[in-house]
Amino acid sequence: MCKTEAKAQTLKQLKPEDRSDLSSVRNEYLFRTPILSDMLLPLLKDKRDEPMLHLMLNIAFFVLPSAVLVYVVNFAGISFWMRHLIGVSHVVMILVLFLERFMLMMHFSSHRTIFSNELLNGLQVWVYAPFFGVPHGVYKLHHVIMHHIENNHELDASSTEKFQRDSWLDFFRYWVRFAFGVWVELPLYCLQTKRWDWGSTLVAGLSSYAFCLWFLAKYVNFTGTFYAFMLPY
């Protein structure tokens, strides 16, 4: 039996209540932006990806202005506690409203691009990603190339096989490796597998990400940079 037939047979065996997600209202975005959505819809490769277009516009209307506000209030002479309250509110807003949605969208689009325009495809990994704590241009190499090809084996720096899943200590060890080890292990992976093109993209992404954070923290405002980029990371 082929995979398509097996999948069809599995669907037939499901109870009606178990099929509800197949026809339920999609929940990837908060609201539809009529004018801009209509203008950009023709650029989608597949009409079914429309929810992701709406999500990208939602982020442009909420997350980006909110991050700008985090910087602005640090120059406005308002109280110390109010500046930090606005910064914390920004991070909470991202976590509650957008983080899961954005990561799902970036995961999907790293496997199959959603726009016929490459500039729009690049927006997620080169512009949006740092606001959600993901360095420029890193996600596809980390997830699609390394993780899916190496499949939790020796060269997969994101492998979970060595960790005990019900152990908080192992979770912390994994988190530290994921958050900090990637700066060494991912470039090393490119060297080991001779993926020179991906390696050059990775170097460009990590170095530009680090430079931007350093420049913003040192020459613009440290507190604003902490809440807009460092804490989400």
Side-chain angles (χ1 to χ4, degrees), residues 170-191:
D170 271 20
F171 172 76
F172 179 72
R173 288 171 54 215
Y174 174 75
W175 178 83
V176 170
R177 181 185 184 186
F178 192 92
F180 302 106
V182 67
W183 291 79
V184 175
E185 290 184 299
L186 206 51
L188 182 60
Y189 171 75
C190 291
L191 291 174

Side-chain angles (χ1 to χ4, degrees), residues 7 16 47 54 75 85 96 98 105 163 176 185 194:
K7 185 176 180 180
K47 181 67 167 56
H54 299 322
F75 295 103
L85 178 60
V96 173
F98 292 107
M105 174 174 65
F163 300 99
V176 170
E185 290 184 299
K194 298 181 180 181

Side-chain angles (χ1 to χ4, degrees), residues 35-185:
I35 298 176
L36 284 175
S37 296
D38 293 339
M39 291 172 58
L40 295 173
L41 272 176
L43 296 177
L44 290 174
K45 288 183 175 180
D46 190 324
K47 181 67 167 56
R48 292 173 295 180
D49 294 336
E50 183 178 346
M52 286 184 281
L53 170 61
H54 299 322
L55 176 58
M56 290 184 71
L57 292 172
N58 288 174
I59 292 172
F61 278 102
F62 277 92
V63 177
L64 305 189
S66 179
V68 171
L69 177 64
V70 168
Y71 278 96
V72 170
V73 296
N74 282 278
F75 295 103
I78 64 174
S79 69
F80 170 87
W81 293 110
M82 185 58 69
R83 295 199 301 269
H84 285 282
L85 178 60
I86 291 173
V88 170
S89 299
H90 168 76
V91 175
V92 170
M93 182 265 291
I94 287 177
L95 291 175
V96 173
L97 296 181
F98 292 107
L99 182 62
E100 286 185 297
R101 290 181 168 97
F102 175 75
M103 295 305 296
L104 177 64
M105 174 174 65
M106 189 162 64
H107 173 255
F108 178 89
S109 62
S110 70
H111 285 277
R112 183 174 68 79
T113 55
I114 60 178
F115 294 104
S116 55
N117 183 293
E118 287 307 309
L119 286 176
L120 290 176
N121 286 325
L123 273 178
Q124 292 183 44
V125 292
W126 290 99
V127 178
Y128 280 16
F131 291 93
F132 296 90
V134 182
H136 301 129
V138 168
Y139 186 84
K140 185 170 183 176
L141 169 62
H142 188 282
H143 178 72
V144 179
I145 306 301
M146 181 185 70
H147 177 62
H148 274 287
I149 292 177
E150 306 305 335
N151 194 27
N152 281 310
H153 296 309
E154 184 179 354
L155 293 178
D156 185 357
S158 65
S159 172
T160 61
E161 290 186 346
K162 297 179 181 179
F163 300 99
Q164 183 67 30
R165 294 186 178 236
D166 59 356
S167 166
W168 282 104
L169 178 60
D170 271 20
F171 172 76
F172 179 72
R173 288 171 54 215
Y174 174 75
W175 178 83
V176 170
R177 181 185 184 186
F178 192 92
F180 302 106
V182 67
W183 291 79
V184 175
E185 290 184 299

Side-chain angles (χ1 to χ4, degrees), residues 67 71 90 130-131 133 209 213 216 224-233:
Y71 278 96
H90 168 76
F131 291 93
Y209 177 76
L213 264 61
L216 290 170
T225 304
F226 175 76
Y227 285 113
F229 299 106
M230 294 179 179
L231 191 55
Y233 180 88

